[in-house]
Amino acid sequence: MYEATLKRVFGYESFRPGQRDIIHAVIEGQDVLAVMPTGAGKSLTFQLPSYIKNQGLTVIVSPLLSLIEDQMLHIRERGERGVARLTSMESAEEKQDIINHLKRYRFLYLSPEQLAVPYVTRALANVKIQMLVIDEAHCISQWGHEFRPEYARLGELRKQIGSPQCMAVTATAPEGVKQDIIEKLALFSPEQFVHSANRPEIRLLVERLEKEKKLERLKELIREIPKPAVVYTATRREAEALAFELEDALFYHGGMSTEDRRLVQSQFLRDEVSVMVCTSAFGMGVNKDNVRSVVHFQLPATVEAYMQEIGRAGRDGQPAFAVLLYADGDERIQQFLIDGQYPKDEDMRLAYFERENGTSIAQLPRLLRMNEEDPKFLLLKQLLTERSLQEALDWVKERKRDRYRQLGQMMDYALIRTCRRDYLLRYFSEQTVDQEECCDVCGPIPFPDTPQIVRKNVTEWKIRLTQIFSFE
């Protein structure tokens, strides 16, 4: 039955390793936690059971609009019309029409924030939900309080819509994150499918150099490595600056308009440009199998983030390269970013004092000189409603300590003199492996003699926009 549906609906002859076992557990009604590497076919494991069971709506919670758009595009390309989304892009009228006709759909994609909207939660509680899927479930642990508070509420929201069967999927999750996912989603005796985090096709390299030489080395490296390539950096400003320094490169970050991000991404996907310089905003939902190299110009904040980002390379199974450029002191950028994600002690004390004296929450942004949409203020608002002042101060201190510890683990990876792959696998509680062309510590890792140069049809994005909207 499974193979017949796979062929009829998806056009595939056979399953990838691990997919069939996960699908069987889902069809048997089990809650499931599936940790599968990027490119292993996670979406099929929750889409195929919908056609076999055919007992209601599959609700998929996803963190990014680009992820949702990508998956919906592939579903519609198969001829499936019973798919809808609730995101910030739909008008109130469009959302209401979807809510009024939920029984039309097989799949409903939405963000955690949309699931938390009361009228959406009520509507979903009144329809048959076959399964609730939490895609990129590691975000529950990483973003659950500081950035996307609704992630921390997913277990509560699941109860509000009738506690349907639940599946959590992600590409990377060390033991602590797995436990976080299980607890916060209230998964009941979940079947756990944890595939190796190892990507044997990716060669791991770290280059230590002086800070003032990093840019020149990056320019040289971009000429040497096979392409297409993705260059990750820590800040939006640096992404833009590096893109202008490099040949055949565009930049991408969360501060760009939706239209500009879509256009730049499409140029990279169509091989019109060979290098994408970006922040961590680029990656999830980008379905490009032939990325040959991922370069980190700055130290990532966590090992999990690093593994997610280098996982963009080599999804076709062909040799790929992950290069980290590290200079002493690079960690200070991440330390600065960590500190900037939490309210200061003095701001917290002032906010609690003002609330005790009758100041409304709506008045606090002006008093604290914060934007009401600033993640720091959203976090502070949540703390005000859930914790005493001392509890809030202690919680922020502990969270920052955890973030610094995670950054320290990423620094250890950059500085170790033993096998880098072994370090990563031990981090994810896996056995070490032996393989050729492993990492720069184990032996020389040569780049191909003739890097794969993408011959592009150069179209600068602003010119493209002019062409699209010109009426002359």
Side-chain angles (χ1 to χ4, degrees), residues 259-283:
E259 292 78 9
D260 286 352
R261 289 201 307 272
R262 284 178 180 168
L263 187 53
V264 168
Q265 180 173 305
S266 70
Q267 286 183 264
F268 186 63
L269 292 176
R270 292 197 302 264
D271 289 335
E272 292 181 359
V273 65
S274 64
V275 180
M276 180 67 77
V277 187
C278 55
T279 63
S280 59
F282 183 81

Side-chain angles (χ1 to χ4, degrees), residues 186-232:
L187 300 182
F188 179 73
S189 299
E191 286 273 5
Q192 296 189 45
F193 299 89
V194 181
H195 292 235
S196 176
N198 187 35
R199 293 285 302 279
E201 67 275 14
I202 300 178
R203 287 80 167 122
L204 305 170
L205 300 95
V206 175
E207 295 188 17
R208 292 191 64 184
L209 61 166
E210 296 174 15
K211 188 176 291 290
E212 58 271 18
K213 295 182 179 179
K214 283 183 73 176
L215 178 57
E216 285 306 311
R217 176 53 187 148
L218 178 64
K219 291 179 180 179
E220 292 175 1
L221 193 61
I222 292 300
R223 290 192 288 268
E224 296 171 5
I225 59 176
K227 292 177 271 295
V230 178
V231 178
Y232 279 103

Side-chain angles (χ1 to χ4, degrees), residues 38-320:
T38 300
K42 293 187 290 293
S43 59
L44 184 135
T45 63
F46 58 78
Q47 290 178 18
L48 187 144
S50 171
Y51 293 94
I52 294 178
K53 296 181 77 171
N54 202 27
Q55 294 175 353
L57 183 66
T58 297
V59 177
I60 304 107
V61 176
S62 192
L64 296 177
L65 181 59
S66 60
L67 257 178
I68 293 173
E69 288 180 332
D70 182 67
Q71 290 200 18
M72 287 185 64
L73 175 63
H74 288 290
I75 290 172
R76 285 174 171 157
E77 285 176 345
R78 294 199 309 265
E80 174 63 68
R81 293 294 174 259
V83 57
R85 71 180 188 187
L86 295 174
T87 71
S88 58
M89 299 300 291
E90 283 73 54
S91 67
E93 293 77 13
E94 290 170 329
K95 289 177 181 176
Q96 191 60 58
D97 183 63
I98 292 169
I99 290 296
N100 290 343
H101 300 94
L102 284 175
K103 292 181 180 179
R104 288 180 183 171
Y105 302 109
R106 182 181 296 276
F107 302 108
L108 176 67
Y109 281 84
L110 72 175
S111 66
E113 290 79 9
Q114 292 295 323
L115 181 61
V117 173
Y119 79 88
V120 174
T121 309
R122 288 194 300 271
L124 290 173
N126 290 316
V127 297
K128 171 66 175 175
I129 296 178
Q130 178 172 292
M131 185 165 61
L132 173 66
V133 179
I134 311 300
D135 200 6
E136 303 292 348
H138 63 279
C139 298
I140 290 171
S141 184
Q142 292 184 3
W143 295 350
H145 293 282
E146 292 91 326
F147 314 114
R148 307 280 288 273
E150 284 74 16
Y151 266 104
R153 295 186 56 208
L154 283 173
E156 170 197 335
L157 294 169
R158 180 189 175 196
K159 291 179 182 177
Q160 291 181 25
I161 62 175
S163 297
Q165 178 187 3
C166 187
M167 180 180 185
V169 293
T170 184
T172 56
E175 196 59 40
V177 173
K178 285 188 287 186
Q179 290 307 311
D180 244 5
I181 292 169
I182 291 169
E183 291 172 11
K184 289 178 180 174
L185 289 177
L187 300 182
F188 179 73
S189 299
E191 286 273 5
Q192 296 189 45
F193 299 89
V194 181
H195 292 235
S196 176
N198 187 35
R199 293 285 302 279
E201 67 275 14
I202 300 178
R203 287 80 167 122
L204 305 170
L205 300 95
V206 175
E207 295 188 17
R208 292 191 64 184
L209 61 166
E210 296 174 15
K211 188 176 291 290
E212 58 271 18
K213 295 182 179 179
K214 283 183 73 176
L215 178 57
E216 285 306 311
R217 176 53 187 148
L218 178 64
K219 291 179 180 179
E220 292 175 1
L221 193 61
I222 292 300
R223 290 192 288 268
E224 296 171 5
I225 59 176
K227 292 177 271 295
V230 178
V231 178
Y232 279 103
T233 189
T235 66
R236 297 171 178 180
R237 179 180 296 178
E238 192 161 58
E240 295 187 16
L242 291 179
F244 285 113
E245 292 281 353
L246 301 176
E247 298 175 5
D248 198 8
L250 293 176
F251 63 83
Y252 182 108
H253 58 67
M256 299 165 63
S257 70
T258 301
E259 292 78 9
D260 286 352
R261 289 201 307 272
R262 284 178 180 168
L263 187 53
V264 168
Q265 180 173 305
S266 70
Q267 286 183 264
F268 186 63
L269 292 176
R270 292 197 302 264
D271 289 335
E272 292 181 359
V273 65
S274 64
V275 180
M276 180 67 77
V277 187
C278 55
T279 63
S280 59
F282 183 81
M284 285 190 284
V286 177
N287 188 19
K288 185 173 175 64
D289 289 344
N290 69 333
V291 173
R292 299 267 62 87
S293 304
V294 172
V295 179
H296 280 83
F297 190 72
Q298 294 292 353
L299 196 72
T302 67
V303 173
E304 294 98 309
Y306 182 67
M307 290 295 285
Q308 288 274 342
E309 290 165 2
I310 68 172
R312 314 299 171 209
R315 291 180 58 175
D316 55 6
Q318 298 303 307

